[in-house]
Amino acid sequence: MRVYVPLTLPALSQAHGAGELGPAPFEAYAVTAGLRSWWGSENPEDEEELEYAALGLAAASSLRSLARDAEAVRRRVVVVAEVPDALVHGEERDVAGDRSVQDEDVASVHDEEAASVGRVRLTAAVPMSRIAAVHLDAEEAVEAVTAAIEALPAAAGGDQRAQAVVDGADEHELLWFATQEIPALIA
């Protein structure tokens, strides 16, 4: 199963040094039944869009991790790994009910309840050899990501302007990097 692990650059550096993502258990995101329901699709042809949604949910989780680590560089990090299904356990709650993601009233992915969609728990450390890629914000995104981190508490309290600032980080696409580029990313 493909999973999207939200990290920070210091956490990526630590994983690289240890030779594995972990320790277990730890959070990741994946294309799950709950994510399919939230997205409003059971169509296998939507798999790429669903994977992109899981990546976005992991990026939002990375943003929350950055808010807890004042020393980390303000760039979201998501590691993509291929892991055995047996290591993946679901954590999500059904937040969409019979609604689809296209409905105007679907909660933002930064909302804690909506953020549980697609969330899974990995029950064992993942060797770096299982990593397929790393997604990372460009330097140009640092200002927007920093502003989003500062706006998170107000957004969590329902402030729509603050939520717009948090959502502004999503306007910056995460860049794709091959695993052999990790040493340069953490240098």
Side-chain angles (χ1 to χ4, degrees), residues 51-73:
E51 288 179 351
Y52 187 75
L55 172 66
L57 291 165
S61 181
S62 176
L63 184 73
R64 292 187 299 275
S65 294
L66 287 169
R68 293 186 297 272
D69 184 352
E71 301 300 316
V73 176

Side-chain angles (χ1 to χ4, degrees), residues 47-125:
E47 195 70 19
E48 190 173 319
E49 288 180 24
L50 291 166
E51 288 179 351
Y52 187 75
L55 172 66
L57 291 165
S61 181
S62 176
L63 184 73
R64 292 187 299 275
S65 294
L66 287 169
R68 293 186 297 272
D69 184 352
E71 301 300 316
V73 176
R74 298 332 213 184
R75 295 169 75 186
R76 299 167 297 166
V77 179
V78 177
V79 173
V80 182
E82 297 289 341
V83 300
D85 291 355
L87 299 183
V88 181
H89 294 278
E91 281 201 342
E92 65 193 4
R93 297 180 299 245
D94 181 13
V95 298
D98 60 359
R99 297 180 299 158
S100 71
V101 75
Q102 290 80 19
D103 292 341
E104 291 179 15
D105 62 341
V106 171
S108 163
V109 297
H110 300 288
D111 175 274
E112 272 304 311
E113 190 175 4
S116 73
V117 172
R119 184 166 45 205
V120 297
R121 183 124 337 244
L122 298 178
T123 59

